[in-house]
Each structure stands twice: as structure tokens, then as C-alpha cells.
Amino acid sequence: RGYEVTVENFIRVLTGRLPDSVPRSKRLLTDDRSNVLVYMTGHGGNGFLKFQDSEEISSEELAGAFEQMWGKRRYSQVLYLIDTCQAISLYRNFYSPNILASSSSRVGEDSLSHHVDTRVGVFVIDRWTFFLLEFLERVKADSRATLKDMFAYVKTRDVISTPHVRTDLFPKPLSDVLITDFFGSVRKVEVSSSVVTFAGENQSSTFHERSVLRFTGHAMSYSVGALDTHDEDASGLNTAQSFALWRFGGVAIPAMFMFIFILVGCK
């Protein structure tokens, strides 16, 4: 956020190369079951995007960061969206598997703004992003709309540049990829009375009684019932409960949805 958004910090977040002092709220807590959405916009040119008007990230650095993510099993699939002048050049060097990339303009083209806020006297959104957002605002959580539908919605005549989608690194056709694979969804749950034990170093927590919510199709479940704690180092119920919630939110759900939005300037 703000001046913390630097090229170094952005790459560190993607690759997980962060000091122990960095809180969980500033980490990308993903694994090889995670779908990751990366959206970037700002001033850019052939092969670079500016950060804070003082530094740039290159297409080579982006490609290297995603390769590190793949090597460290930090994603299952990536959707990379870039809205800037000559945007296609930002992902021309990508080579890691399972990345789907889309851009607002080709090399030699500008990415134009859509409308101005007369109160502050600046343009507030670019045309490609505006029409993507217009489509997404009509999509409901249980929608069967696909990425093919989304990209087809954005027309060259509307954005006054040439949008592009790179699919050669992605294993599935766009018509088989739901919007909700990357933009969130509603999971079906079933009720179970089984007991679930969460275990960690010197610590375990058992949920029992009442009902258990189990994600359909996955083995992990989470109880809304009482909590027994056995923690040699922790100081009581709150610590063990936090641990259980962390296990539920950070590890238990396959295909987690993680989002990175990088807004680094107005054109």
C-alpha cells in the first residue's frame, strides 16, 4: 500500500522471500492448489511498467518471479491482467506453465483512459479495465460464465486499442475456465458429525459436538462446535482457536483464491 509498493516488495510477495517480521496480512499465502490473480496498471512502455514514477519492473523480472513461484509450488494457475501502453510486451517473456495472460494493447499502441472525474480533474479508469469491470459486475457468485465470455465482451472499438490474450502456457481452453475460478465463488457444504483434529508443533485442537461443515469434494472439514485444546506452549483457548482457524483458512481449502492488485499510477 502506498510507498510500500516497490518492485522489490512486489517480487518478494510473489516469491515468498520475506523476512520473518512481515505479518501474514502482507504475505501471499498460496500453495500448489491456489489460483492467483495478478492485475497491474499504470504508466508503461515496451517491456516495462513504472512503479511510483521512480523505478520500473521489466518483462524479464516478471517472468523470473513467476518461474520462482512455479518452482516453489506457490500456484496452480495464474491469471495475469495488464492495462498499460504496449501492455502485451509485459508478458512476452513468460515461460512458466499454467499462466493465462491478457493485455489492453499491443506494442506501439497506447492504452487510453475512459472518463474524467471533473471534481478532481483527472482520469479515473482506463478503457480496457472499465469494460472488464462492466462485465464482472454482472457476474454472480454461482455464474457459469467463462473467461472466454469475459474477453469476448471487450471490443477493440470500445477500448480503441487491440486487446490480446496469451493462451499457449495455459492447459485448458478459455471456454472451460469459469470466471469464478479466479474471481471467487460459492462452495457447497454438507453437514457431518465427525470429529476433526488439527495438529501442529506441540499443539493440537479438536472440534467436536454440534455440526461440522465439510467442503464437498475435499476431505477437510471445519466444526462450528466446541473446542478442546491441548497446547503446551499456548496460553489458552484463543491461541488454539486461532491456530485452528489458520489451518482452515490457510491450508485446508484447495484452490484458494488470492488476489494482487497493483495500481502504480494514472495515465
Side-chain angles (χ1 to χ4, degrees), residues 147-159:
L147 290 182
K148 181 179 180 180
D149 300 326
M150 182 179 76
F151 293 133
Y153 182 82
V154 183
K155 304 290 195 299
T156 297
R157 66 173 181 270
D158 293 325
V159 299

Side-chain angles (χ1 to χ4, degrees), residues 7-8 10-17 40 47 57-75 78 80 89-97 99 166 169:
V7 172
E8 179 183 353
F10 174 62
I11 291 177
R12 285 184 178 278
V13 168
L14 288 180
T15 60
R17 299 171 61 184
M40 305 180 76
I57 189 169
S58 69
S59 57
E60 292 83 4
E61 289 173 311
L62 279 170
F66 283 123
E67 177 60 18
Q68 287 187 56
M69 290 184 73
W70 177 253
K72 294 181 177 181
R73 300 168 64 87
R74 288 180 59 77
Y75 73 82
V78 170
Y80 177 77
S89 65
L90 266 296
Y91 54 72
R92 63 187 173 192
N93 291 316
F94 287 6
Y95 55 92
S96 305
I99 298 179
R166 181 178 174 184
L169 299 173

Side-chain angles (χ1 to χ4, degrees), residues 43-50 56-59 84-86 89-90 92:
H43 291 290
N46 192 351
F48 70 90
L49 181 74
K50 295 184 72 174
E56 303 168 352
I57 189 169
S58 69
S59 57
T84 188
C85 298
Q86 310 189 72
S89 65
L90 266 296
R92 63 187 173 192

Side-chain angles (χ1 to χ4, degrees), residues 29-31 33-36 187 249-251 253-258:
L29 303 174
T30 57
D31 58 26
R33 300 162 296 178
S34 304
N35 289 349
V36 179
R187 286 186 178 273
V251 174
I253 308 176
M256 295 159 47
F257 303 103
M258 304 301 295

Side-chain angles (χ1 to χ4, degrees), residues 23-166:
R24 290 174 53 81
S25 60
K26 293 185 178 182
R27 294 176 180 268
L28 185 65
L29 303 174
T30 57
D31 58 26
D32 59 354
R33 300 162 296 178
S34 304
N35 289 349
V36 179
L37 166 63
V38 179
Y39 168 82
M40 305 180 76
T41 188
H43 291 290
N46 192 351
F48 70 90
L49 181 74
K50 295 184 72 174
F51 275 54
Q52 310 287 3
D53 282 334
S54 60
E55 58 178 343
E56 303 168 352
I57 189 169
S58 69
S59 57
E60 292 83 4
E61 289 173 311
L62 279 170
F66 283 123
E67 177 60 18
Q68 287 187 56
M69 290 184 73
W70 177 253
K72 294 181 177 181
R73 300 168 64 87
R74 288 180 59 77
Y75 73 82
S76 171
Q77 300 176 130
V78 170
L79 175 59
Y80 177 77
L81 304 176
I82 174 71
D83 190 353
T84 188
C85 298
Q86 310 189 72
I88 191 175
S89 65
L90 266 296
Y91 54 72
R92 63 187 173 192
N93 291 316
F94 287 6
Y95 55 92
S96 305
N98 298 3
I99 298 179
L100 177 63
S102 183
S103 59
S104 59
S105 57
R106 294 182 181 271
V107 172
E109 292 182 340
D110 293 331
S111 185
L112 302 177
S113 301
H114 185 268
H115 63 270
V116 69
D117 186 326
T118 56
R119 293 170 297 180
V120 295
V122 298
F123 288 93
V124 293
I125 191 170
D126 293 329
R127 302 186 72 88
W128 187 71
T129 298
F130 177 87
F131 287 104
L132 281 183
L133 184 59
E134 187 175 71
F135 175 86
L136 290 171
E137 285 179 338
R138 302 174 184 176
V139 175
K140 298 187 182 301
D142 58 352
S143 172
R144 303 300 297 175
T146 67
L147 290 182
K148 181 179 180 180
D149 300 326
M150 182 179 76
F151 293 133
Y153 182 82
V154 183
K155 304 290 195 299
T156 297
R157 66 173 181 270
D158 293 325
V159 299
I160 320 178
S161 60
T162 311
H164 178 264
V165 182
R166 181 178 174 184

Side-chain angles (χ1 to χ4, degrees), residues 255-266:
M256 295 159 47
F257 303 103
M258 304 301 295
F259 308 88
I260 302 177
F261 295 93
I262 305 297
L263 308 176
V264 293
C266 299

